[in-house]
Amino acid sequence: MAGRPKGTKNSELHIWSSEEKEYLSEITPGRSHKEILELMNSKFEYQFSLNQIKGAIKRYKLNTGRTGQFEKGQASWNKGTKGLTKANKTSFKKGNRPSNYKPVGSERVNIEGYVEIKVAEPRKWKLKHRVVWEEHNGQIPKGYNVIFADGDKSNICIENLLLVTRKQLLTLNQYGLIKQDPELTKTGINIANVIGKINEVKKRK
């Protein structure tokens, strides 16, 4: 399970969070697509591509205010740099923090309704229910997910968290086996295991 899908670098598939849309809207006016790309990648953990930035600006009807031509009085792209050295990645001066800065330990709700918690600087966020589970049990094994026994994403206590395989989760969702009653959900996991065994036997035949 994931919150906002963690992007694979250069992947064009990405669900934009409200925070990303808000920041994109804030930095777009007066900047080139390349400058906007650098600012977005500097601020967020996800690494956007230039096509994603252009597509989002068009999709959300934003306007850079630029014509694409060099205008009178406009500073050249490499002013203040030497040779091929790039300009600074962000417009923030060293030591300054943006108005929407969140300290470590801050929480937010992502587009899918999962609570995320900031675990490190500069912009490292993790799903809170996974953090809580790992605090009690260690690292989540590869190929496993943590689900809510009562189906409530806001009920983040260790007693309400269950570790399942991706295969089990697929079956749980397919057959609607995650219930409001935690005991029924646990029974649903057993049913998912039986269904998995039956499917394995069918494949062998």
Side-chain angles (χ1 to χ4, degrees), residues 143-163:
Y144 282 76
N145 295 88
V146 176
I147 67 171
F148 302 91
D150 63 358
D152 183 358
K153 297 174 184 177
S154 66
N155 185 8
I156 307 174
C157 62
I158 190 60
E159 293 80 14
N160 193 45
L161 303 178
L162 301 172
L163 186 70

Side-chain angles (χ1 to χ4, degrees), residues 81-119:
T81 64
K82 291 183 179 180
L84 297 178
T85 305
K86 293 183 179 180
N88 291 334
K89 273 194 171 184
T90 73
S91 58
F92 297 115
K93 294 180 180 180
K94 187 175 181 181
N96 288 354
R97 286 176 172 172
S99 59
N100 58 351
Y101 168 78
K102 303 289 185 183
V104 171
S106 298
E107 296 182 7
R108 66 186 184 188
V109 178
N110 67 28
I111 195 171
E112 293 185 352
Y114 292 99
V115 178
E116 295 178 328
I117 185 169
K118 187 173 183 179
V119 296

